């Protein structure tokens, strides 16, 4: 809240120092803030520099909505008031742009939607027809991202005949806050007798990520409340690996546009296991989704095309 108060917040001296340095040494034509939680600096930037200010929108609600009600309201109200000094907002999905317009009373014409992109050349092509029918999870291993839903669904899947050889690969790392959920899923895995069929991949950087995608037939990250986007979906599909996601947040929008996966509802272990089982019985469908996803990323989520779209938005703004 202090940050959102800008010159009236506790960081006002640092704000003045930063703005004055930018004015003296950088003289930008445009300023683009990475998220609306930083829009408290917009009034001072506009006053001193008088250039167009753009602000991206992504997952602000994830930080604000868990706050106590009083702090929630103050945060949204302050962001709304600071929007007077923002020339354009850019949501990372149509879903999230609409959500923000529900949260803040700002002119709809100020809000644009522009998807995140990746460079398809950075990702190796997954095998056309998966020989190993394994399941992957690639995100921070935490309660919010549904790592326990994935593990519980895997236990359910293993109760069905015909999936004895299927393994679950988990990668994405964790923080100290995730110790309890990791302890919980480890116990679940052990009690189900699946210790040797659940693989925790510690390396999730470039080479490790490539190995991961070559080991799995598709991925699922069952985020409990959905997300504004989900970059891991593009990384997976760019590798030719389909994404099977809950029908929440921006997931349906991304998967429909790319053609590289399926959605399911409700977001329960039982429904997820059922969805997996149906897909694992159709390897030709997995291959088709993988091919479509790779083409979909190239057509709709190419970072170079998205950069051009962003520049076009910049050009509509006047000093």
């Amino acid at each position: 809240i202090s940050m959102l108060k800008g010159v009236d917040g506790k960081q006002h001296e640092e704000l003045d120092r930063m703005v004055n340095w930018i004015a003296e040494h950088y003289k930008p034509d445009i300023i683009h803030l990475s998220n609306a939680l930083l829009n408290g600096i917009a009034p001072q930037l506009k006053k001193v520099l008088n250039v167009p200010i753009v602000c991206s929108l992504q997952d602000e609600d994830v930080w604000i909505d868990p706050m106590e009600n009083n702090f929630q309201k103050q945060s949204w109200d302050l962001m709304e008031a600071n929007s007077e000094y923002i020339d354009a907002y850019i949501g990372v999905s149509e879903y999230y742009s609409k959500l923000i317009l529900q949260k803040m009373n700002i002119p709809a014409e100020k809000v644009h939607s522009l998807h995140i992109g990746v460079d398809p050349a950075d990702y190796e092509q997954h095998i056309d027809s998966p020989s190993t029918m394994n399941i992957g999870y690639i995100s921070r291993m935490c309660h919010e991202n549904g790592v326990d839903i994935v593990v519980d669904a895997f236990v359910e899947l293993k109760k069905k005949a015909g999936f004895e050889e299927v393994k679950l690969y988990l990668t994405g790392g964790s923080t100290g806050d995730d110790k309890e959920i990791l302890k919980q899923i480890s116990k679940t895995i052990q009690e189900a007798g699946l210790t040797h069929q659940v693989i925790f991949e510690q390396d999730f950087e470039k080479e490790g990520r490539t190995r991961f995608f070559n080991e799995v037939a598709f991925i699922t990250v069952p985020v409990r409340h959905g997300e504004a986007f989900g970059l891991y979906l593009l990384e997976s599909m760019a590798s030719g690996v389909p994404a099977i996601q809950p029908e929440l947040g921006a997931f349906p929008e991304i998967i429909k546009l790319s053609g590289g996966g399926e959605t399911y509802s409700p977001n329960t272990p039982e429904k997820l296991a059922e969805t997996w089982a149906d897909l694992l019985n159709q390897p030709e469908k997995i291959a088709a989704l993988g091919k479509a996803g790779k083409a979909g990323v190239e057509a709709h989520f190419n970072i170079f095309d998205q950069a051009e779209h962003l520049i076009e938005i910049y050009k509509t703004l006047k000093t």
Side-chain angles (χ1 to χ4, degrees):
I1 287 172
S2 177
M3 283 287 290
L4 288 170
K5 286 183 176 179
V7 293
D8 296 321
K10 297 177 181 178
Q11 298 83 6
H12 61 91
E13 291 182 1
E14 287 81 0
L15 173 58
D16 285 340
R17 188 179 302 121
M18 180 190 73
V19 172
N20 291 334
W21 184 92
I22 293 173
E24 181 179 354
H25 298 285
Y26 205 71
K27 300 180 176 63
D29 299 306
I30 195 166
I31 291 176
H32 192 143
L33 306 179
S34 60
N35 64 79
L37 295 175
L38 295 175
N39 79 1
I41 69 178
Q44 189 71 350
L45 286 169
K46 180 67 78 172
K47 176 182 177 182
V48 175
L49 300 169
N50 192 31
V51 297
I53 299 177
V54 178
C55 182
S56 288
L57 296 169
Q58 181 173 2
D59 289 328
E60 286 83 359
D61 59 317
V62 172
W63 297 95
I64 296 174
D65 288 351
M67 297 178 184
E68 294 179 12
N69 290 339
N70 179 48
F71 297 130
Q72 277 187 45
K73 186 175 188 314
Q74 286 187 69
S75 297
W76 288 117
D77 286 351
L78 284 166
M79 285 197 296
E80 182 179 310
N82 293 332
S83 294
E84 177 185 347
Y85 303 92
I86 303 292
D87 296 278
Y89 278 108
I90 300 180
V92 294
S93 61
E94 293 282 354
Y95 155 78
Y96 198 66
S97 294
K98 291 176 182 176
L99 178 67
I100 286 297
L101 287 172
Q102 294 171 7
K103 296 281 189 179
M104 295 192 290
N105 183 24
I106 56 180
E109 58 270 20
K110 271 192 178 184
V111 182
H112 307 261
S113 297
L114 182 65
H115 293 123
I116 293 173
V118 297
D119 181 356
D122 288 342
Y123 302 89
E124 295 183 11
Q125 172 64 55
H126 186 63
I127 46 181
D128 290 335
S129 183
S131 56
T132 53
M133 302 297 282
N134 299 321
I135 299 164
Y137 169 99
I138 180 166
S139 193
R140 176 184 159 194
M141 286 181 265
C142 62
H143 179 266
E144 293 82 2
N145 289 349
V147 67
D148 54 317
I149 297 176
V150 159
V151 170
D152 289 343
F154 189 64
V155 172
E156 288 296 317
L157 179 72
K158 284 297 185 174
K159 294 176 183 178
K160 305 175 187 290
F163 306 108
E164 292 79 11
E165 301 302 317
V166 177
K167 294 179 181 178
L168 174 63
Y169 283 77
L170 302 170
T171 194
S174 60
T175 71
D177 293 337
D178 306 320
K179 288 181 179 178
E180 191 59 38
I181 193 71
L182 292 176
K183 182 179 177 181
Q184 176 188 323
I185 64 172
S186 295
K187 182 180 179 182
T188 300
I189 293 165
Q190 186 175 14
E191 289 179 348
L194 298 173
T195 303
H196 299 296
Q197 292 187 293
V198 179
I199 294 90
F200 288 84
E201 291 283 7
Q202 301 302 321
D203 180 11
F204 53 92
E205 297 302 329
K206 290 183 179 178
E207 291 184 1
R209 186 161 295 204
T210 298
R211 287 195 303 272
F212 168 83
F213 285 131
N214 281 327
E215 290 289 350
V216 303
F218 51 80
I219 68 153
T220 296
V221 183
V223 179
R224 279 184 154 81
H225 303 292
E227 284 187 315
F229 196 81
L231 183 61
Y232 48 84
L233 300 186
L234 299 191
E235 294 178 323
S236 178
M237 292 186 289
S239 302
V241 177
I244 312 304
Q245 290 297 109
E247 202 169 296
L248 297 170
F251 299 147
E253 176 182 337
I254 297 166
I255 287 177
K256 181 179 180 181
L257 190 58
S258 67
E262 291 187 344
T263 58
Y264 65 93
S265 183
N267 189 17
T268 63
E270 294 77 17
K271 183 62 177 178
L272 180 53
E274 178 186 322
T275 305
W276 284 347
D278 181 62
L279 198 55
L280 287 167
N281 284 323
Q282 303 178 74
E284 70 288 345
K285 184 176 182 179
I286 296 175
L289 288 173
K291 184 178 181 180
K294 189 166 182 64
V297 169
E298 176 68 55
H300 302 290
F301 300 100
N302 189 306
I303 195 169
F304 300 106
D305 295 336
Q306 301 305 80
E308 289 297 328
H309 296 326
L310 179 59
I311 290 170
E312 289 304 315
I313 294 174
Y314 287 164
K315 287 179 178 178
T316 66
L317 306 177
K318 299 179 180 179
T319 57

